[in-house]
Every structure is written in structure tokens, then in C-alpha cells.
Amino acid sequence: MNRVKDKVIVVTGAASGLGLADTRVLTREGAQVVMTDIDPEAGQAQAEDIGATFITQDVSNESSWDRVMSEVDKRFGRLDGLVNNAGIAPIATIEDTTTEVWRRVMGIHLDATFWGCQSAIKLMKQSGGGSIVNMSSTAALVGLAPYLAYSAAKGGIRSMTKSIAIHCRTEGLGIRCNSVHPGSISTPMVHKALKTLVGTDLMAEEDPEKTRKAMGIGEPEDVANMVLYLLSDESKHVTGAEMVVDNGDTVI
Ligand SMILES: NC(=O)c1ccc[n+]([C@@H]2O[C@H](COP(=O)([O-])OP(=O)(O)OC[C@H]3O[C@@H](n4cnc5c(N)ncnc54)[C@H](O)[C@@H]3O)[C@@H](O)[C@H]2O)c1
């Protein structure tokens, strides 16, 4: 209990899936979580249920970052953590990825992570330090054929994270920056992909839990527990690291 007590933490894309699980686990461990999402209805409802704060945000809009960080500063006067988690995963290979899809994926993943880190560092410097977690993927480590733009963006997030980590260390800012690389985890994003790619409707299965386990798919809490560790002071000596949460999928 209280592993992140009183820390003020922003989680993007928090209305669903991994961001929602992060919010639940961080709140349970004492943090004051500011959830942001492009979906205000789901976000607001979840925030009320959990006891967190919700702000509507399209992370791919640069000016939204000033608005979110100003609001956090006004309400809490500090920022201790940021999880750049919001994402989309359109299915398209090198042969069928349109420029529009490419730009949208880069906007939501790469641009947003860049703006998120930049604006968080400004506020964290005032608070004397902090921890940033950038949600990447095993797609950054191996490359996935049906996810061309997504793999490229997640690879960029991986190396951007390391550049930020070393900058913050060199400048003595007390800010750590790490990336998390989940394999397949049971969230709406993956349920949609399973239907399209392998024809399995996981949630319509007679026993979804049994099928999930048989398919080697993890639970959102498996990732949320890693995020919790990286945002807590337990990971004070960890920065620039790529934390893989994939049950060994990329090892075999
Ligand atoms: N689920 C997995 O297996 C898996 C694996 C590796 C990486 N990831 C990454 O984890 C993150 C979360 O994925 P998830 O599986 O929970 O997906 P999800 O679809 O369940 O949730 C994504 C959330 O992001 C929000 N969002 C989308 N576009 C946004 C925007 N422009 N601005 C703000 N919010 C926006 C959505 O409204 C949604 O609430 C993503 O970055 C994803 O790439 C997921």
C-alpha cells in the first residue's frame, strides 16, 4: 500500500484498457491521478468511479499539453509522474498504409510523447524531479508486419525515451524516463485486433478467461504493476530502461 502516496500523476488514454488499469492501481497505491482521454464520456465516468480527476485531451493536439499541464499546476501545484499511454493501432502493412494513417499514428504516438515529455519536464523541474513512463510495445523490438506505422512509432518512442533519460541524468534534473513494452494484453485494442487478424471474438467466448490464458494474452494489471514500479521511488536507480512485459514472447 501507498507505494506512490500523494504523487500527482497524469495518465493519458486513461478511459480504457491499460491506462484505466494504471489509474486504478496508482490510485489504490495513494497517488492523485489525473486521467486524460479523447473520450470524455467514458473518461469522466471512470474517473468518478475511481476517485480520480478527468481532463478531456486529444494528445495529438500540441496546445492540449499546455492546457493539461496548466490545469495540473493550478490544482495540485506539482507533477511527479506522467504515463504517455494513449494510442491507436490501425492494421496495415507496408503495402497498404496510407499517408493519412501514417501521419495519424505518428501524431498520437510520437508527436504526443514528445510534447508530453517536454511539458512534463517543465513542471517536474519546479517540483524537484519526477518519473516519466512511455508506453511502447514489443512491436518496437521485433517489428510486426500488420502494424507498419505502429511498429515505427513505437520504435521511435523507445529511442526517444533513452535520449530523454540521458539528458535528464546529465543535467541532474532528478527526472527518470523509461519505456514499457507489453506483448499481447487483453484490452479493447487487442480484442479488435484478434477479431480482424485471427477471427476470435474473445469477449464472446464461453469462458473468456480460459481462452485468454490459452492464447497467452496478459491482463492489464500485468502492465499496470510495472508502471507502478517505475513511478514509485523503488525504481530510483532505473532510467533509460526498456521494460518488457510479454511473458517471454520476444525471447523465443
Ligand atoms: N493492449 C496491448 O496488448 C498493448 C501492447 C503493447 C502496447 N500497447 C499500448 O498501450 C497503450 C494503451 O493501449 P490499450 O490496449 O489500452 O488500448 P485501448 O484502445 O483499450 O485504449 C486506448 C485509449 O487511448 C485513447 N485515445 C486514443 N486516441 C487518443 C488521442 N488522440 N488522445 C487521447 N486519448 C486517445 C482511447 O480513447 C482509449 O481510451 C497504447 O499506446 C498501445 O499502443 C498495448
Side-chain angles (χ1 to χ4, degrees):
M1 287 290 282
N2 293 333
R3 289 169 66 189
V4 284
K5 189 167 168 43
D6 295 334
K7 288 188 190 290
V8 176
I9 297 168
V10 172
V11 180
T12 71
S16 163
L18 300 187
L20 182 58
D22 294 347
T23 302
R24 287 209 179 101
V25 167
L26 293 166
T27 305
R28 186 194 72 206
E29 293 294 334
Q32 294 180 289
V33 179
V34 177
M35 309 167 70
T36 85
D37 203 284
I38 201 167
D39 180 347
E41 260 176 51
Q44 194 61 53
Q46 295 291 0
E48 276 167 27
D49 185 45
I50 297 169
T53 303
F54 177 75
I55 302 174
T56 305
Q57 180 189 26
D58 175 352
V59 292
S60 66
N61 177 332
E62 184 175 6
S63 64
S64 76
W65 284 101
D66 262 357
R67 185 171 51 76
V68 166
M69 291 304 167
S70 301
E71 189 64 30
V72 169
D73 194 16
K74 202 165 76 192
R75 284 199 204 181
F76 301 98
R78 60 184 296 111
L79 178 67
D80 303 290
L82 168 68
V83 187
N84 279 310
N85 166 81
I88 57 167
I91 296 170
T93 68
I94 180 62
E95 298 202 62
D96 47 33
T97 298
T98 61
T99 302
E100 191 197 343
V101 165
W102 173 268
R103 295 226 163 100
R104 195 151 54 88
V105 170
M106 294 305 150
I108 293 175
H109 290 278
L110 264 187
D111 294 357
T113 300
F114 159 57
W115 292 320
C117 291
Q118 202 169 55
S119 58
I121 287 169
K122 269 189 212 157
L123 196 47
M124 285 174 176
K125 276 168 84 171
Q126 290 175 35
S127 327
S131 172
I132 298 171
V133 176
N134 291 330
M135 197 53 65
S136 182
S137 165
T138 50
L141 310 175
V142 293
L144 300 176
Y147 293 100
L148 184 270
Y150 181 83
S151 300
K154 292 302 195 185
I157 289 173
R158 172 182 173 272
S159 44
M160 185 187 340
T161 299
K162 292 179 193 299
S163 301
I164 293 166
I166 294 310
H167 168 79
C168 292
R169 193 184 81 162
T170 308
E171 296 297 313
L173 302 183
I175 299 170
R176 299 180 292 105
C177 188
N178 294 287
S179 55
V180 173
H181 302 256
S184 232
I185 307 290
S186 181
T187 69
M189 180 187 279
V190 162
H191 301 160
K192 209 167 118 192
L194 286 175
K195 272 192 216 166
T196 311
L197 294 173
V198 292
T200 301
D201 186 347
L202 185 60
M203 300 324 278
E205 289 283 310
E206 199 181 316
D207 187 344
E209 267 304 276
K210 197 171 159 200
T211 310
R212 177 186 69 73
K213 284 185 192 156
M215 293 181 88
I217 296 169
E219 300 171 86
E221 291 69 27
D222 294 328
V223 177
N225 287 329
M226 176 61 79
V227 170
L228 169 65
Y229 166 70
L230 291 172
L231 290 169
S232 78
D233 296 336
E234 294 159 26
S235 58
K236 63 183 168 45
H237 204 56
V238 180
T239 194
E242 44 192 85
M243 313 300 270
V244 180
V245 185
D246 72 343
N247 197 31
D249 279 352
T250 47
V251 179
I252 49 173

